[in-house]
Every structure is written in structure tokens, then in C-alpha cells.
């Protein structure tokens, strides 16, 4: 069957199989920022925004996306003009292997759209189904809290890759 969906602001008509999930279709269409870690709706790597809410694309039938607005990580910033959440992840050294990061950043975007000034506990709750095997979560949490401030128009807590005086790296090990 054919479905019509908007991907990163562009209208698309896509042929999908009745058994296909949205992650498979998006990757086939070239949106390889959609990661498949578990293919079982567990790890969060395949999260995309569907009408603004974060959804695990591997767990959503492609045909359910008919008529919906999809945003993948490719739709946020560009290499030369990162989204503030992406920039905060860079500045806080919140990315290691990077596999979980598209899903985590899109989850953060959804959170901050609903709650521009979340507490640390609310950030941790929002990303609790985004599994990361590398970072220990501390730096992503710091990055999301800093991104929230930047998006509210406040000064960045850390810039230039964490080299400012109040860098969260100060004396701590790189978990
Ligand atoms: S691949 Fe979709 S949640 Fe893990
Ligand atoms: S940065 Fe490697 S899984 Fe999260």
C-alpha cells in the first residue's frame, strides 16, 4: 500500500508492506539516523517524533504513519547549524559511540516542547527507556538541562566542548 507522510517537513508518498514497521521504512528512505538496536520496542534507539511525540519507530506499523508528521534526527540541525540540544550534547561530551543519541535527542526535544524547564528527575524519567551502554547517563542529563536553559534564552552552562570554567568535567572521571 502507499502512505502519505511528512518527513522532516517534506511531503512523501511511500510504498510500504503490510508487515513493515516505520523504522524499516524510514531507513529504506535514507533516514539512517533512525537506529535499530533491539527491534523490539525496548532500547529507544529507533525513536522519532510522530506529530511531535517521541515514538519507537520499530514498534509502529508503517501504515499507522499515514497522514502523520515524522521528524528524524536528520530534521533537527545540520552539521553547520546544530539544534541547541545537539550542540549541548557536543559541549557536554554527552556522546560516546553515538548509537543511542538520535533517539535520546528526539526524546529530549519532545520533553522540552511539553516542559521547557524540567527538573533533573523529569529529564531522567523522560529518557528512562533510552538505553545507553556508554555514557552512564550523567552527561546526557546535564546536556538536556543545559539545552533547556539555552532554549529558554539563558546563557549556556558549558560551551566549546566543555572547556569553560564551570565544565562538568571538573575532576570527575569520564564515565
Ligand atoms: S530498535 Fe526500536 S526501541 Fe530498540
Ligand atoms: S553513546 Fe553509546 S550507546 Fe549511548
Amino acid at each position: 500500500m502507499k502512505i502519505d507522510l511528512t518527513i522532516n517537513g517534506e511531503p512523501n508518498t511511500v510504498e510500504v508492506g503490510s508487515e513493515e514497521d516505520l523504522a524499516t521504512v524510514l531507513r529504506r528512505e535514507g533516514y539512517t539516523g533512525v537506529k535499530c538496536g533491539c527491534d523490539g520496542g525496548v532500547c529507544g534507539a529507533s525513536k522519532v517524533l510522530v506529530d511531535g511525540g517521541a515514538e519507537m519507530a520499530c514498534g509502529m506499523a508503517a501504515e499507522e504513519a499515514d497522514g502523520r508528521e515524522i521528524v528524524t534526527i536528520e530534521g533537527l540541525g545540520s552539521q553547520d547549524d546544530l539544534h541547541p540540544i545537539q550542540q549541548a550534547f557536543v559541549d557536554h561530551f554527552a556522546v560516546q559511540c553515538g548509537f543511542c543519541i538520535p533517539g535520546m535527542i528526539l526524546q529530549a526535544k519532545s520533553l522540552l516542547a511539553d516542559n521547557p524547564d524540567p527538573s533533573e528527575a523529569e529529564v531522567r524519567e523522560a529518557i528512562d527507556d533510552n538505553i545507553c551502554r556508554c555514557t552512564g547517563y550523567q552527561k546526557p542529563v546535564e546536556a538536556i538541562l543545559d539545552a533547556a536553559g539555552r532554549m529558554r534564552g539563558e546563557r549556556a552552562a558549558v560551551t566549546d566542548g566543555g572547556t569553560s570554567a564551570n565544565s562538568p568535567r571538573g575532576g570527575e572521571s569520564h564515565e
Side-chain angles (χ1 to χ4, degrees):
M1 68 176 289
K2 284 190 185 336
I3 61 170
D4 296 315
L5 70 174
T6 302
I7 307 173
N8 300 335
E10 297 286 332
N12 284 267
T13 300
V14 181
E15 182 77 37
V16 302
S18 58
E19 304 284 309
E20 278 193 311
D21 61 73
L22 181 60
T24 301
V25 170
L26 289 170
R27 287 182 59 82
R28 189 172 64 230
E29 292 298 310
Y31 300 97
T32 52
V34 182
K35 300 302 181 196
C36 292
C38 66
D39 259 345
V42 174
C43 75
S46 67
K47 282 185 183 176
V48 298
L49 300 182
V50 179
D51 295 337
E55 301 273 354
M56 298 191 195
C58 71
M60 182 173 181
E63 60 190 37
E64 275 183 55
D66 193 20
R68 320 275 298 264
E69 297 230 2
I70 310 298
V71 175
T72 71
I73 196 70
E74 289 89 348
L76 253 64
S78 65
Q79 195 88 8
D80 297 328
D81 184 22
L82 296 177
H83 185 280
I85 303 174
Q86 293 170 313
Q87 188 63 57
F89 269 67
V90 171
D91 293 342
H92 284 265
F93 291 100
V95 179
Q96 290 191 27
C97 82
F99 197 83
C100 70
I101 298 299
M104 200 177 297
I105 286 178
L106 289 166
Q107 177 63 68
K109 185 166 190 308
S110 173
L111 167 69
L112 298 183
D114 290 341
N115 180 0
D117 191 10
S119 66
E120 179 176 335
E122 287 169 332
V123 170
R124 288 184 179 278
E125 185 181 350
I127 62 168
D128 77 347
D129 59 357
N130 287 84
I131 307 298
C132 177
R133 301 304 301 267
C134 304
T135 64
Y137 300 99
Q138 183 61 31
K139 291 180 189 304
V141 168
E142 290 169 359
I144 294 167
L145 288 168
D146 190 7
R150 298 179 192 200
M151 291 166 71
R152 294 192 306 269
E154 296 168 12
R155 195 165 156 266
V158 175
T159 57
D160 299 322
T163 55
S164 66
N166 57 350
S167 165
R169 284 192 302 168
E172 72 184 37
S173 65
H174 194 59
E175 72 265 39

